[in-house]
Amino acid sequence: MARRATERPPTRHALTGWPTDGLSYGGDYNPEQWAPEVWREDVRLMREAGVNIVTLGVFSWGLLEPREGEYDWGWFDEIIGLLHESGIAVDLATPTAAPPSWLLHAHPEVLPVDAYGVREQPGGRLGWCASSPVFREHALRITTALAERYGDHPAVRLWHVSNELGGGNGRCWCDVSAARFREWLRAEYGTVEAVNAAWGTAFWGHTFADIDHIEPPRSEQHKVNPGLFLAYERFSSDELLEHYLAEAAVLRAHSEAPVTTNFMVGSGRHVVDYSDWAAHVDVVANDHYTIVDDPVREQDLAFAADRMRGLAADRTPWLLMEHSTGAPSWQQRNRAKAPGEILRNALAHVARGSDGAMFFQWRASTAGTEQFHSAMLPHAGTESRVWREVVRLGDALRRLRSIAGSPVEPAKVALLVDEESAWALQQGLKPHRALRYSRETRLWHRVFWQRQVLVDVLPVDADLDGYDLVVLPTLLVVSDAQAARVDAFVRGGGTALVTYLSGVVDETSRVRGGGYPGAFRDLLGVTTEEFRPLQADETVRLSDGGEVTDWSEDTNLHGAEAVVTYADGDSAGRAAVTRNAVGDGAAWYVSAQLPLDSATRIADRLIDELGLPRAVEAGTGIEAVRRRTPDGDVLFLVNHSDADETVAVSGRSLLDDTTFDGAALVPAGRVVVLRESAAE
Ligand code: GLA
Ligand code: GLA
């Protein structure tokens, strides 16, 4: 069965180059909110801050095309001209995230419909269904008009298709979507018999007589067939991708500039399957916002950055398209950044391969939904800490320009993530609703991050050559081919760490019989005969002293050795963590939701046994990554703790020309970036 309906193009669009000289610095710029006098001040202050690129036009559709087919380019010509004269590149957005009122008024049928049949009201954003031919026609008309007018403009150095596709219109349950879904099913499965077989529809008498009888999973999700559920998630991602591709094709027909769209990787969000999307963008770009409730928000930042690197072809630089200078306005409690945190967060992305640091947005809005969202130029103006730090960051990025285009040092650890597993686990049909996919992916990333061991966060189908360790955290949905690749990796001398529920179902969401974790049990030398989900107030002690929450299993050994066992509870004496020697390689299994201390012990043993490289040896609050430039390695040391730390390194600081001979002091909350040299 073909896994995807969307074919990839035979070749990548040739990348004409990075949009800016050196690292990119700037943000979303929404000049339509301001009078033209303000634009002149904006451009002057952008230059003062070292801004060299802005994202323009994200929400401008209704002003560029005030009535159907009537365009008003005057103000846009002026602002693009002004930016260009000042040497500021334009990342030009197609304005399709913001359908104009005349379109929604004339065609309310383009608005998305929720799972209960309620049509969304105008007034938000991305208020359109990805399957709507009416919306597509209008979107491609404005995209064509924009591309015809500015496709050759020298200021336009990057195209930004729409905005955060799926953020608001990730799923639509309207009848048009339903009809498109049936077409998608025909392409994917061919016949209704194949659908019935794949989804096991005999259960609850759900056998379909015809593909035309299949509806999207509209009702409460726990009543939905898991195969249908997963198919609709894939379909929805493919539909949005089709929309992206349609706009991108128009842009490419009129312009040589690279094309991107801003992904939303971070804080456990899994809206679309970016592993399918990444090959279709010329610059992989991400929006990242730290979440106040996240106890290790800097690690979410690192995880997202490592994922972007994993999505970028050849691990080439990617671009941080948006983050914030301070508090957003959409969280329950919005948090301002601490002094120095703007630089610390921005450079942590740069350390991990972003060739720039951009923000939402340039100037703080005084009106509208996000009137209290932070910006590069805050309401207080230039007499503010935020502005001073923004100027300082611009200076830092200029000083670091020699690293532009350089790769991050190669990682030896790969951590596989998969939207399909995330969707399946989040659906709530799985054996325990307390489980969260992102908890496991973050845990197994964190234990290496805190030891300065670089991890590439990779799509499940990525090439594993060159890695020493591959980690599969709760990779629930696994095809035979994917399992075979992990098997071959271990038999070729690699080490795999597989955690609970991985490989338990195949790509149609069907359970693999004969003992869990079906796809990997031979490789791991274990079988789990029964899951033992834990209750809210229940913990189980482990032989290493750790305490398990939420998930345990009754696992039997078939060749593997027990490394850690359950010390109490109904699984007492059984293996919680196992290791199976396979040729020169090894396959580890973790059957429990481990606490940080137990997971750290496993990571430390793997770091030791496999000789996994630590960028430096420092405390858990220090993040350390190298970028490889033609003039030698550039080491980023980021101190996330509230204590100063001294790290054993030598070199010259790129931020302020200090030299370090054998030791560098990294003050609490600060960043040191140095070009390394051998100790004297
Ligand atoms: C009810 C139903 C069964 C099955 C069980 C278990 O008893 O009659 O068909 O669904 O619940 O959930
Ligand atoms: C997203 C959007 C921006 C803005 C920011 C801040 O990233 O792309 O337009 O709304 O969030 O909330």
Side-chain angles (χ1 to χ4, degrees):
M1 182 187 74
R3 194 153 171 263
R4 304 280 175 215
T6 308
E7 295 291 321
R8 291 178 185 209
T11 54
R12 257 167 81 88
H13 175 78
L15 182 57
T16 52
W18 195 257
T20 54
D21 298 329
L23 302 173
S24 302
Y25 187 44
D28 279 37
Y29 181 37
N30 298 303
E32 60 267 53
Q33 297 176 18
W34 306 96
E37 309 84 78
V38 180
W39 303 351
R40 285 173 176 72
E41 185 190 52
D42 282 333
V43 170
R44 181 174 62 73
L45 290 174
M46 284 176 191
R47 290 175 61 97
E48 189 177 316
V51 164
N52 58 10
I53 185 167
V54 293
T55 302
L56 193 70
V58 172
F59 302 115
S60 307
W61 190 349
L63 295 177
L64 293 175
E65 189 183 5
R67 279 163 297 281
E68 182 171 344
E70 280 179 36
Y71 301 99
D72 178 6
W73 301 114
W75 69 279
F76 219 54
D77 288 350
E78 188 181 339
I79 193 77
I80 292 178
L82 203 56
L83 290 163
H84 187 51
E85 279 163 28
S86 308
I88 297 165
V90 173
D91 167 32
L92 190 53
T94 66
T96 55
S101 73
W102 56 258
L103 173 56
L104 297 180
H105 183 74
H107 295 287
E109 73 274 19
V110 308
L111 284 156
V113 170
D114 74 11
Y116 298 91
V118 178
R119 195 172 290 281
E120 206 176 274
Q121 293 298 305
R125 56 188 198 177
L126 288 158
W128 47 271
C129 159
S131 300
S132 165
V134 176
F135 182 75
R136 183 74 55 86
E137 184 194 323
H138 287 277
L140 296 189
R141 195 185 54 243
I142 184 67
T143 300
T144 304
L146 195 73
E148 281 173 353
R149 190 161 188 94
Y150 302 109
D152 292 328
H153 197 295
V156 177
R157 300 287 299 272
L158 182 63
W159 290 99
H160 183 291
V161 172
S162 205
N163 192 60
E164 295 191 337
L165 288 165
N169 62 348
R171 311 285 176 273
C172 176
W173 286 268
C174 74
D175 291 341
V176 174
S177 301
R180 283 280 297 167
F181 179 49
R182 290 178 204 112
E183 283 174 37
W184 185 94
L185 289 172
R186 287 199 167 86
E188 189 90 351
Y189 294 92
T191 64
V192 72
E193 290 77 18
V195 175
N196 284 322
W199 299 353
T201 53
F203 187 77
W204 277 7
H206 285 171
T207 303
F208 296 106
D210 194 301
I211 287 184
D212 282 341
H213 302 172
I214 302 177
E215 294 292 339
R218 285 194 176 103
S219 62
E220 294 160 68
Q221 297 210 322
H222 65 273
K223 292 181 188 154
V224 167
N225 177 296
L228 167 62
F229 169 81
L230 210 47
Y232 207 69
E233 297 290 285
R234 289 177 181 141
F235 158 76
S236 299
S237 177
D238 285 354
E239 282 295 87
L240 280 156
L241 177 56
E242 290 280 351
H243 184 88
Y244 165 81
L245 289 172
E247 287 197 29
V250 170
L251 299 173
R252 285 174 177 153
H254 290 89
S255 175
E256 290 295 313
V259 179
T260 190
T261 189
N262 42 348
F263 291 176
M264 298 171 282
V265 169
S267 65
R269 294 180 79 185
H270 295 277
V271 178
V272 298
D273 191 345
Y274 289 125
S275 58
D276 282 344
W277 289 52
H280 301 288
V281 297
D282 299 317
V283 173
V284 175
N286 195 37
D287 295 351
H288 187 270
Y289 292 87
T290 51
I291 302 295
V292 73
D293 298 329
D294 187 334
V296 259
R297 49 184 173 266
E298 291 83 8
Q299 188 233 333
D300 186 66
L301 184 164
F303 182 89
D306 291 346
R307 175 112 200 264
M308 295 312 291
R309 208 175 50 254
L311 288 169
D314 305 323
R315 319 274 174 270
T316 49
W318 54 277
L319 181 60
L320 175 66
M321 186 63 84
E322 289 182 23
H323 72 317
S324 74
T325 61
S329 57
W330 44 267
Q331 295 182 30
Q332 207 47 44
R333 287 170 188 261
N334 297 294
R335 175 184 170 274
K337 290 194 177 180
E341 195 172 340
I342 293 176
L343 187 80
R344 177 156 54 97
N345 285 174
L347 294 193
H349 287 284
V350 173
R352 292 173 181 274
S354 176
D355 263 4
M358 297 176 65
F359 293 91
F360 178 84
Q361 60 181 331
W362 161 252
R363 183 186 277 272
S365 302
T366 53
T369 310
E370 298 196 294
Q371 65 183 154
F372 294 115
H373 194 289
S374 57
M376 297 174 82
L377 182 60
H379 291 148
T382 54
E383 295 301 315
S384 58
R385 180 190 58 78
V386 165
W387 176 255
R388 287 188 290 278
E389 292 201 15
V390 161
V391 172
R392 203 171 127 227
L393 173 58
D395 183 55
L397 293 171
R398 221 172 12 242
R399 286 168 181 265
L400 293 175
R401 66 186 171 277
S402 66
I403 68 164
S406 66
V408 174
E409 63 189 325
K412 289 292 165 193
V413 182
L415 185 147
L416 304 187
V417 292
D418 184 36
E419 260 81 20
E420 301 192 352
S421 292
W423 293 333
L425 276 162
Q426 282 165 14
Q427 184 194 12
L429 274 170
K430 298 310 154 206
H432 205 34
R433 293 184 196 179
L435 302 179
R436 275 182 304 118
Y437 181 65
S438 60
R439 183 205 183 267
E440 287 303 293
T441 53
R442 285 278 305 275
L443 173 71
W444 292 101
H445 181 268
R446 181 177 177 185
V447 291
F448 295 103
W449 173 79
Q450 68 186 6
R451 294 289 190 245
Q452 303 85 31
V453 173
L454 188 66
V455 174
D456 282 345
V457 178
L458 297 181
V460 68
D461 292 314
D463 189 353
L464 299 177
D465 273 4
Y467 294 100
D468 293 335
L469 172 67
V470 56
V471 185
L472 287 69
T474 50
L475 194 70
L476 177 67
V477 183
V478 173
S479 69
D480 289 351
Q482 289 164 343
R485 280 160 20 80
V486 176
D487 198 86
F489 171 79
V490 174
R491 292 186 200 282
T495 296
L497 178 85
V498 178
T499 86
Y500 61 87
L501 284 172
S502 293
V504 162
V505 304
D506 68 14
E507 70 273 29
T508 63
S509 207
R510 209 181 244 263
V511 173
R512 295 168 178 278
Y516 315 121
F520 299 114
R521 63 174 174 254
D522 292 342
L523 177 68
L524 297 168
V526 299
T527 56
T528 285
E529 61 179 272
E530 189 173 9
F531 296 147
R532 201 166 278 290
L534 302 180
Q535 304 313 299
D537 54 357
E538 192 181 6
T539 57
V540 172
R541 217 161 33 80
L542 293 172
S543 59
D544 74 348
E547 290 216 326
V548 173
T549 50
D550 294 320
W551 191 259
S552 63
E553 295 180 356
D554 286 352
T555 301
N556 303 310
L557 303 177
H558 297 283
E561 52 162 319
V563 177
V564 178
T565 54
Y566 295 104
D568 58 21
D570 291 335
S571 305
R574 289 184 186 257
V577 179
T578 63
R579 181 181 185 279
N580 193 30
V582 182
D584 292 337
W588 290 67
Y589 183 57
V590 177
S591 73
Q593 182 176 287
L594 294 187
L596 178 64
D597 57 336
S598 295
T600 298
R601 279 187 281 276
I602 293 172
D604 285 347
R605 181 169 157 188
L606 289 167
I607 291 168
D608 189 41
E609 282 181 7
L610 302 177
L612 300 173
R614 295 178 69 179
V616 298
E617 295 203 7
T620 53
I622 295 282
E623 175 174 344
V625 188
R626 284 190 177 80
R627 289 186 66 162
R628 294 254 156 103
T629 80
D631 303 322
D633 286 357
V634 170
L635 173 66
F636 287 72
L637 297 168
V638 187
N639 189 345
H640 295 297
S641 76
D642 48 19
D644 297 352
E645 185 146 359
T646 300
V647 179
V649 285
S650 293
R652 187 175 52 78
S653 164
L654 292 181
L655 298 181
D656 61 10
D657 295 326
T658 319
T659 50
F660 305 107
D661 190 9
L665 175 75
V666 191
R670 301 292 147 143
V671 187
V672 167
V673 185
L674 66 151
R675 190 174 289 288
E676 288 181 280
S677 56
E680 302 276 308

